[in-house]
């Protein structure tokens, strides 16, 4: 397993951005990550996640309050609906070396609660075991088997700490020989680091924490679909690993990261899917070498 710290460090620089007007026009500037790595970004030979991709969510920790359950619904609706968006279509340009592309759709296959089987103080060596235990429990998959083309998401609750979360990252993606997964911590634990400033006070779905978790997911999803096993769309140098999500993350400017943001009384967003509003990270478009929303 490989963890790429810089590759998953979200919101490191760009979040002090303040919106001055209702819609912020994104320039077409090329950010530093794109200038340095954009022209050599290609598939190193590995597969991408193609066709229907099942998503399995493990809500880890305490999600029992009414508010938490509402947050779970928002998060699950996003995953269920996002593949029909122009934003998701940008991911379809990413193929393996046989021409098989990311197509989606994402299919929310199952979600379970794990109140804290491995304590509420996690380290990233334990994340894979949490996934395996959930699979073996039988509640995540009717066949009790790992889905090697699926995505396992561990979503930490408000009572869950983690050794890297809030310090090194707000979420990350990793893999084993058999599956790929991501961990996202509860952004409300460290709002200054993990909630975009534009949505700290109020957010489109009335939960700054879960709206931020969706923003983080929109980065990790880019990585995991195009580089599920660390041998696909990835550039590795001696000191840095760059995956798709890193091109348009907080390393550049806010307009790179979020594109044209609309600010409303309920917070900031940049896409609408089935009448719900979300703030997602933009996606690198290979032909124009720009961060796009769709
Ligand atoms: C879970 O959180 C709720 C508040 O959100 C609290 O009332 C409840 O006692 C917690 N449960 C456990 C097992 O800690
Ligand atoms: C999409 O989102 C809506 C609400 O936003 C939800 O009712 C629905 O179950 C979600 N999934 C699909 C497949 O439409
Ligand atoms: C969590 O575990 C780390 C070591 O992995 C330890 O340093 C820290 O004190 C623990 N925190 C709590 C709240 O138990
Ligand atoms: C990686 O190393 C190169 C050359 O030593 C250096 O210029 C660059 O700043 C380093 N990048 C990071 C992210 O540390
Ligand atoms: C923002 O809007 C401008 C003007 O409509 C457009 O040219 C640009 O591509 C948009 N940026 C993004 C990231 O969608």
């Amino acid at each position: 397993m490989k963890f790429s710290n810089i590759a998953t460090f979200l919101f490191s620089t760009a979040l002090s951005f303040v919106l001055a007007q209702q819609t912020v026009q994104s320039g077409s500037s090329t950010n530093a990550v794109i200038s340095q790595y954009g022209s050599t970004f290609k598939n190193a030979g590995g597969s991408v996640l193609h066709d229907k991709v099942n998503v399995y969510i493990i809500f880890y920790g305490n999600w029992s309050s009414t508010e938490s359950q509402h947050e779970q619904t928002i998060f699950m609706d996003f995953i269920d609906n996002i593949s029909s968006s122009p934003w998701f279509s940008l991911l379809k340009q990413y193929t393996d070396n046989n021409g098989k592309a990311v197509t989606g759709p994402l299919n929310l296959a199952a979600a379970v609660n794990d109140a804290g089987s491995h304590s509420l103080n996690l380290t990233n060596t334990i994340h894979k075991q949490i996934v395996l235990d959930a699979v073996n429990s039988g509640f995540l998959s009717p066949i009790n088997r790992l889905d090697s083309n699926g995505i396992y998401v561990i979503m930490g609750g408000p009572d869950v700490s983690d050794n890297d979360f809030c310090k090194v990252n707000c979420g990350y993606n990793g893999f084993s020989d058999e599956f790929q997964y991501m961990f996202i911590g509860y952004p409300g634990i460290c709002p200054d680091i993990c909630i975009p400033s534009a949505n700290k006070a109020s957010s489109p779905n009335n939960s700054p924490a879960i709206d931020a978790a969706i923003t983080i997911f929109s980065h990790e999803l880019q990585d995991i679909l195009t580089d599920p096993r660390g041998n696909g769309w990835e550039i590795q140098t001696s000191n840095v690993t760059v995956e798709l999500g890193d091109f348009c993350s907080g390393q550049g400017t806010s307009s790179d990261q979020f594109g044209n943001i609309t600010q409303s009384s309920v917070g900031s967003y940049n896409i609408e899917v089935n009448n719900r509003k979300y703030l997602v990270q933009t996606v690198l478009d290979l032909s124009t070498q720009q961060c796009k929303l769709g």
Side-chain angles (χ1 to χ4, degrees), residues 81-132:
N81 286 304
I82 188 59
S83 6
S84 62
S85 68
W87 178 84
F88 190 90
S89 292
L90 283 167
L91 299 169
K92 298 180 180 176
Q93 63 189 286
Y94 289 92
T95 65
D96 67 18
N97 289 350
N98 300 317
K100 231 174 175 23
V102 172
T103 56
L106 300 185
N107 172 51
L108 179 61
V112 295
N113 286 307
D114 177 338
S117 60
H118 288 272
S119 94
L120 297 173
N121 187 19
L122 302 176
T123 60
N124 49 25
T125 54
I126 213 74
H127 297 149
K128 281 194 290 188
Q129 194 57 46
I130 291 172
V131 171
L132 291 171

Side-chain angles (χ1 to χ4, degrees), residues 60 119-123 127 156-167 183 189:
Y60 194 86
S119 94
L120 297 173
N121 187 19
L122 302 176
T123 60
H127 297 149
D159 56 340
V160 178
S161 61
D162 185 83
N163 62 337
D164 281 350
F165 174 62
C166 291
K167 301 179 197 91
F183 173 83
I189 293 173

Side-chain angles (χ1 to χ4, degrees), residues 164-181:
D164 281 350
F165 174 62
C166 291
K167 301 179 197 91
V168 177
N169 61 38
C170 299
Y172 79 98
N173 63 301
F175 58 91
S176 77
D177 290 346
E178 294 173 296
F179 65 96
Q180 44 284 324
Y181 66 95

Side-chain angles (χ1 to χ4, degrees), residues 19-278:
L19 291 162
Q21 58 195 90
Q22 209 187 345
T23 297
V24 178
Q25 295 290 313
S26 160
S28 55
S29 62
T30 296
N31 73 40
V33 185
I34 296 178
S35 337
Q36 194 169 356
Y37 299 106
S39 61
T40 53
F41 193 44
K42 60 177 174 42
N43 191 317
S47 58
V48 300
L49 297 184
H50 50 79
D51 299 306
K52 183 176 86 172
V53 175
N54 290 319
V55 180
Y56 306 86
I57 308 175
I58 300 154
F59 288 104
Y60 194 86
N62 184 348
W63 290 86
S64 64
S65 72
T66 308
E67 190 197 338
S68 292
Q69 286 169 25
H70 177 61
E71 291 179 330
Q72 291 181 327
T73 305
I74 295 165
F75 191 64
M76 291 190 291
D77 283 351
F78 176 80
I79 291 172
D80 232 1
N81 286 304
I82 188 59
S83 6
S84 62
S85 68
W87 178 84
F88 190 90
S89 292
L90 283 167
L91 299 169
K92 298 180 180 176
Q93 63 189 286
Y94 289 92
T95 65
D96 67 18
N97 289 350
N98 300 317
K100 231 174 175 23
V102 172
T103 56
L106 300 185
N107 172 51
L108 179 61
V112 295
N113 286 307
D114 177 338
S117 60
H118 288 272
S119 94
L120 297 173
N121 187 19
L122 302 176
T123 60
N124 49 25
T125 54
I126 213 74
H127 297 149
K128 281 194 290 188
Q129 194 57 46
I130 291 172
V131 171
L132 291 171
D133 289 352
V135 171
N136 291 331
S137 77
F139 291 108
L140 211 48
S141 147
I143 49 171
N144 276 22
R145 265 208 313 266
L146 281 164
D147 181 346
S148 62
N149 193 59
I151 297 174
Y152 293 89
V153 179
I154 303 171
M155 181 65 225
D159 56 340
V160 178
S161 61
D162 185 83
N163 62 337
D164 281 350
F165 174 62
C166 291
K167 301 179 197 91
V168 177
N169 61 38
C170 299
Y172 79 98
N173 63 301
F175 58 91
S176 77
D177 290 346
E178 294 173 296
F179 65 96
Q180 44 284 324
Y181 66 95
M182 63 175 86
F183 173 83
I184 299 174
Y186 190 78
I189 293 173
C190 52
D192 289 345
I193 298 169
C194 292
I195 299 185
S197 57
N199 279 340
K200 223 178 275 179
S202 59
S203 72
N205 297 290
N206 202 23
S207 166
I210 214 68
D211 274 307
I214 286 170
T215 308
I216 296 161
F217 178 84
S218 74
H219 172 120
E220 302 307 330
L221 182 66
Q222 298 184 31
D223 294 348
I224 212 166
L225 286 172
T226 61
D227 189 29
R229 301 290 170 91
N231 56 6
W233 287 87
E234 169 175 313
I235 293 174
Q236 272 195 56
T237 67
S238 56
N239 60 355
V240 67
T241 302
V242 182
E243 290 177 299
L244 176 58
D246 302 313
F247 284 96
C248 303
S249 74
Q251 325 272 336
T253 65
S254 279
S255 62
D256 287 327
Q257 186 176 9
F258 296 128
N260 295 331
I261 295 179
T262 298
Q263 190 183 37
S264 75
S265 56
V266 294
S268 297
Y269 60 92
N270 56 11
I271 60 167
E272 273 190 79
V273 185
N274 289 7
N275 294 320
R276 276 199 193 261
K277 301 172 169 67
Y278 305 101

